[in-house]
Amino acid sequence: MSVTVLLLLVTLCVQGGYGEEREEAQRPGHVSVVIVGGTGDLAKKYLWQGFFQLYVSQVSSGNTFSFYGGGLSPADKATPLLFEILKAVSCSKDVSQERCALLKDQFLRLSQYRQLKTLEDYQDLAEHIEKQLQQEGMTEAGRLFYLSVPAFAYADIADKINNSCRPASGAWLRVVLEKPFGHDFRSAQVLASQLGSSLKDEEMYRIDHYLGKQVVAKILPFRIENKRFLDPIWNKQHIERVEIVLKETLDVKGRIPFYDQYGVIRDVLQNHLTEVMTLLTMRLPVNLSSSEEVLQNKLHIFSSLLPLGKNQAVIGQYQSYKSEVQQELNKTKDHVSLTPTFAAVLAHIDEAQYEDVPILLISGKMLDERVGYARILFKNDIFCLQNHNSIHCKPKQIVFYFGHGSLQYPAILVSKNLFKPVLTDSEWKEVTEHTDVSVLGLSLSDYYVQTPTEQREAYTELISHIFAGRKNSFISTENLLASWGLWTPLLSTLSSSFPRIYPGGADNGDLLDVCLKGKDISFNSEVVIISPDQMGSTSAGGFQVMQGKFRSANMVSAWAEELVERLAADVQELAEAAVRESGVFHLALSGGSSPLALFHRLALHHFSFPWRNTHVWMVDERCVPLTEPESNFYTLHNHLLQHVRIPYYNIHPMPVQLNHRLCVEEDGGAQLYETEISKLVNGSSFHFVLLGVGYDSHTASLFPGTKMKDFGESLVALTESPVKPHQRMSLTFSAINRAQRVALLVMGKGKHELITQLSRVKDDPEKWPVTGVKPTNGRLVWYMDYDALLG
Ligand code: BG6
């Protein structure tokens, strides 16, 4: 007997002390559970099931329960709804059918709906609870209010609970809250202080359901259990980087009114991924069950995180988001939302242990797969000359796999070139039979794999933790404000940034790949959309023009009018330079509608343009007489040539009409033009070629499907257009790519879709002809107006 007493004392000593977990609910008594919003979505999907499971686990513990589903609707309307939900709860596999039926029946009998609208409703509820306690002679253990309602209602409900529903002393009160806990630091602070006037901090249970995920909850215990293996390698000398990733395939249709105000950073990164990051990097607590120590260690990480600026984040938005917003928020077609649905953020901890270790937090909707994980990738300094399949040559990594993805179950995976993790927890088991699955670059058999013996829903776990008063699994006010303190400056910086548009699913290809350079992160492929503050901006000549990159080439962007002004100024500058240098300027111009504005600008505003020394060539021509309005030359003549003083002999229309017929191969029109170019243009290298791009990505008269190779070295060729007039004459890429400067002019909203696509396709001139424009020694510049760039 003395041994038992001693053991009990030892246990009490370990558990006692300041700020430690108070497992008050262990004292048996009556517990009243109230789900406010008890017929809502979350309650229906997870909460009632979680409380049923709590009931099942506690049924023989000496505790008794009453369950109340609360809501604004009157009881006669909502009661049938509540019971529909309650009837759907299920038992775990180890409970027999008969027992399950019995437990469900009891659970249903213990449950009722109550309208909870006014203060009187809450007072009635309190009276009801007290009467029941008295009638049945029960001691009260506590009252649990789960607020499954929009956050704006929290303060008011907390106030009502405080005023009317507090249990008598000796029994606990716990109020559970769901995110969002504010929109930024300031609003989170306001909400916290409103709640703080009704509830004590220890009475508030702020849910982050990621803390209820079995693998997330296991991070600290795993780090402690494997301390002797991890201590030597859990540092900057060994960790290459940390990746915390939640990829989702779904869109946010139906949730836009909420989502458009929050976006992925507030919805996922500020809470779920940040929590995982702190668990991975915080100092290990001496006493894992001390919520105070765990909190202090977490707060220490927050204070060591380097501030996040705009160079530490990239954002994206799936393509159809815009129209979903227009629809769900009743906006017009030109409404643009900048809310990101994808974000990749690079964090660093300013501590000797983690100095310069990149910590990537990534999440997005409409990605290629649903998967969540945290990976610690270690440096591998072994160079394998030959046997690449040897485990020593493979990535060294520990993966906390939250679920879904290729593996489909939660697990902790340690690559076999690291160590064999210990397994002391009876609720976890080792996976030994390996299916043909690969996880983050390694096949399953290259890992030691541990998984929970029984998979449990995060909400079910958290409900049992609320009941046990385990505060570690919840977000304290300090923790919350520290997290908003980290994210708020970044969110304000990004608030006017344009997210990169991505098509969604597998089509995203490598569009959202990111590249880490020192402390900065950027998209790996060239930009589609750049926020104005990411671009250099010039205001020369009194207009605002931005510069950036598109498909590895320079890009100039502005509103249409300014863009054309800038292009005209650039053409004149080059013309003057060429004339100064060689006495002549060779300019090749395209047809189509985009250049018209440029022609007008040159004709009406550039009186000092050196036309006398300029030769005007055609980039392409339609096989129609030059006197027809359809002819490119006709348009050029009408809109430009007839307005400027250019010598006739400097004008070079394409010879599409020879021997009284149009574009007949044997007439050799293309060769004639080529000869003329070769004779007059030094090295056949035009000083300036102006191109446009069509909706099908054709440029000049080089259309998708044209066999570019068939042109060999020819500078001019006859080509086929899918639209009338079908026959064309065009400069080939051999001619275009010899030029000293090529400008690609793209204007109008109609081109935005194309621009988005072009931003991610590889060079493939036969499919996407414009991708064949790659001046060998010259320079390509995209001139894109905001409509084409931003849609
Ligand atoms: C929620 C977010 O908190 O977490 C959702 O509001 C997101 O947008 C979800 O889909 C992800 O959770 P899980 O458990 O499906 O990974």
Side-chain angles (χ1 to χ4, degrees), residues 45-46 178-179 208-210 213 246-248 250-252 255 258-259 263-264 266-268 271-272 363-365 370-372 402-404 457-459:
K45 228 166 141 189
Y46 300 112
E178 279 282 341
K179 78 177 170 68
D208 181 318
H209 81 278
Y210 263 57
K213 288 192 184 269
L246 170 62
K247 298 208 294 178
E248 300 187 275
L250 291 182
D251 54 22
V252 285
R255 289 176 73 199
F258 159 79
Y259 198 89
V264 67
R266 292 183 174 90
D267 190 39
V268 172
N271 36 70
H272 307 325
S363 184
K365 303 281 179 191
R370 181 178 183 193
V371 67
F402 313 148
H404 306 289
E457 257 315 322
Y459 277 98

Side-chain angles (χ1 to χ4, degrees), residues 168-184:
S169 68
W172 48 256
L173 170 69
R174 291 176 193 154
V175 179
V176 188
L177 306 151
E178 279 282 341
K179 78 177 170 68
F181 310 119
H183 187 260
D184 53 16

Side-chain angles (χ1 to χ4, degrees), residues 20 40 70 116 144 162 222 408 538 556 580 604 676 691 709:
E20 296 189 356
L116 292 177
L144 192 164
N162 180 36
F222 177 89
Q408 287 295 316
T538 51
V556 173
R580 262 197 314 277
L604 300 173
E676 201 175 343
L691 298 175
K709 283 199 195 82

Side-chain angles (χ1 to χ4, degrees), residues 291-325:
S291 48
E292 183 62 23
E293 192 187 352
V294 172
L295 173 64
Q296 286 315 319
N297 293 4
K298 265 190 183 181
L299 291 177
H300 181 77
I301 284 294
F302 278 115
S303 66
S304 310
L305 278 160
L306 289 180
L308 300 172
K310 70 170 194 288
N311 292 340
Q312 278 73 54
V314 290
I315 52 173
Q317 186 188 79
Y318 64 80
Q319 209 162 317
S320 51
Y321 183 78
K322 184 173 151 186
S323 57
E324 288 166 15
V325 168

Side-chain angles (χ1 to χ4, degrees), residues 222-255:
F222 177 89
R223 287 183 56 198
I224 292 171
E225 286 157 17
N226 293 286
K227 197 167 171 344
R228 73 191 158 101
F229 300 117
L230 293 175
D231 268 356
I233 58 171
W234 208 254
N235 54 49
K236 65 175 177 208
Q237 276 85 14
H238 292 86
I239 300 179
E240 173 78 31
R241 65 166 180 261
V242 178
E243 300 161 4
I244 305 166
V245 177
L246 170 62
K247 298 208 294 178
E248 300 187 275
T249 48
L250 291 182
D251 54 22
V252 285
K253 238 185 260 159
R255 289 176 73 199

